Amino acid sequence: EITTSPSTYQRATETASHIRSALPDVLQNPKVAIVCGSGLGGLAQTIDPTPKVELAYENIPNFPKSTVQGHEGKFVFGRLGPHQTPVALLVGRAHFYEGHTMDMVTFATRVCKLMGVEVIIVTNAAGGLNQNYAVGDIVCLNDHLNMAGLVGIHPLRGPNLDDFGVRFPPLSDAYDLDLRVRVHRAWKTLGLDKQKRRLHEGIYAFVAGPTYETRAECRMLRGFGADVVGMSTVPEIVVARHSGIRVLALSLVTNSAVLEAGPLGSDEALQSMTKAELDAHLGRGKANHEEVLEAGREAAKDMQALVKLIVSDLHEL
Ligand code: R1P
């Protein structure tokens, strides 16, 4: 099955003009788009309410529906920060594991391009593979491993959409250095460097999901150099870069992967464990979405402050 078709451009054009018709003049040209990851949608509440327009995905033509808990499913337009930077906020995203094609997973990114977006800030909740990372740390991505893409589940598969970009786009510079510098600067300005939560630079491995990774998969990804792992972000980044949008990506570490091998049935120590001890042993590092959302709630304030400061710093675009 081919995941993109030339009509994607027509559909995105239709969607962009539908959205524009719902916006007042002052919000017509958002230069910055922000994608809110699992549990990170609170940013929408910090948008200046005068004026602010919210459009539910289900009422936007051609848009994929959001079905995951913690992803509200609305496009919010407004102005953010002291310089009133016009922004488009995607509160909730479509994931491949929900059953959407890669074309649909990345459709909103293409709509953003047609609306004039120049910078996209993509956030996500991710599992920490790097053992120096703690739950609640924030990772500014500087590279990725497109695990699904490398085996052919790729958003640019199919006829090239020349209206957006070239057939063979480079990705060696995908993670904009200037924007990453701004993250580190904002982190200091906000005094976050004096707190427990730490900021890292790292590599995100994109897997298709929806199962969380096994211990062996975590070891493999870590061996490949990945620092965090998740089920989103990379398709959006690939499509953004294809059409020349500058990219900043931030992961919130919501759980820590256990890299050691699982217990062996033949291990004598295991045989003598009580059921409670064994359950604790097996349960170590067992990820769940509630834990992901909880870590998001805790860190959301800092993540929001960080994104807000970076965006207001971008008012000159
Ligand atoms: C798993 O808990 C979900 O959280 C993350 C994973 O990718 C997966 O969808 O969501 P976001 O990447 O959308 O933040």
Side-chain angles (χ1 to χ4, degrees):
E1 184 213 0
I2 286 177
T3 55
T4 58
S5 71
S7 71
T8 299
Y9 181 75
Q10 274 92 49
R11 284 186 298 112
T13 306
E14 183 196 9
T15 303
S17 70
H18 171 92
I19 293 172
R20 271 210 193 90
S21 68
L23 300 179
D25 281 356
V26 71
L27 301 181
Q28 291 274 327
N29 297 102
K31 294 277 183 266
V32 182
I34 305 162
V35 185
C36 302
S38 284
L40 297 167
L43 201 59
Q45 273 118 53
T46 73
I47 280 193
D48 198 319
T50 53
K52 177 180 177 183
V53 174
E54 296 198 0
L55 304 171
Y57 291 167
E58 58 196 21
N59 297 329
I60 303 177
N62 308 321
F63 239 61
K65 314 275 168 285
S66 200
T67 66
V68 186
Q69 203 198 341
H71 289 259
E72 225 182 305
K74 61 180 183 186
F75 218 161
V76 180
F77 294 84
R79 289 179 294 178
L80 198 64
H83 298 289
Q84 299 274 285
T85 316
V87 292
L89 216 71
L90 286 145
V91 186
R93 56 155 59 94
H95 303 85
F96 182 69
Y97 62 76
E98 293 173 75
H100 303 297
T101 60
M102 276 294 178
D103 194 29
M104 287 309 272
V105 166
T106 54
F107 186 73
T109 309
R110 292 203 157 106
V111 171
C112 285
K113 174 67 187 179
L114 297 180
M115 295 196 66
V117 165
E118 292 174 20
V119 168
I120 191 164
I121 302 178
V122 188
T123 68
N124 62 61
L129 296 167
N130 186 323
Q131 300 294 284
N132 293 322
Y133 293 4
V135 169
D137 284 357
I138 290 173
V139 188
C140 175
L141 303 186
N142 59 18
D143 213 336
H144 71 231
L145 291 171
N146 186 355
M147 300 308 289
L150 290 173
V151 294
I153 304 171
H154 197 288
L156 301 183
R157 179 170 179 266
N160 184 53
L161 303 187
D162 298 332
D163 294 299
F164 287 105
V166 297
R167 170 77 289 185
F168 299 111
L171 287 177
S172 49
D173 61 349
Y175 296 84
D176 194 284
L177 185 57
D178 169 62
L179 295 175
R180 276 155 51 203
V181 169
R182 287 168 191 261
V183 172
H184 291 277
R185 208 187 294 148
W187 189 264
K188 285 219 175 85
T189 306
L190 291 167
L192 293 172
D193 53 331
K194 298 189 181 63
Q195 293 186 14
K196 228 171 80 194
R197 192 185 313 289
R198 286 187 302 154
L199 175 69
H200 309 276
E201 286 238 344
I203 300 172
Y204 181 98
F206 165 59
V207 295
T211 45
Y212 290 111
E213 305 67 42
T214 66
R215 295 174 188 227
E217 286 162 353
C218 287
R219 279 202 302 285
M220 176 192 75
L221 294 171
R222 183 67 190 133
F224 284 173
D227 297 293
V228 282
V229 55
M231 307 165 198
S232 71
T233 299
V234 168
E236 294 151 9
I237 285 172
V238 168
V239 164
R241 290 308 299 144
H242 181 235
S243 63
I245 301 176
R246 292 168 63 198
V247 164
L248 173 66
L250 298 169
S251 289
L252 171 69
V253 180
T254 49
N255 57 295
S256 275
V258 173
L259 298 186
E260 76 212 36
L264 296 168
S266 58
D267 190 321
E268 268 180 34
L270 280 174
Q271 319 270 347
S272 59
M273 275 182 178
T274 64
K275 169 134 179 25
E277 284 169 338
L278 194 59
D279 283 349
H281 197 63
L282 288 168
R284 261 185 7 93
K286 201 165 141 187
N288 68 78
H289 193 53
E290 190 38 52
E291 167 189 59
V292 168
L293 295 178
E294 182 53 36
R297 278 190 278 276
E298 292 251 314
K301 264 217 216 110
D302 289 347
M303 186 69 128
Q304 281 164 23
L306 189 64
V307 171
K308 222 168 154 175
L309 187 54
I310 296 161
V311 169
S312 53
D313 201 31
L314 289 172
H315 70 279
E316 77 280 7
L317 278 180

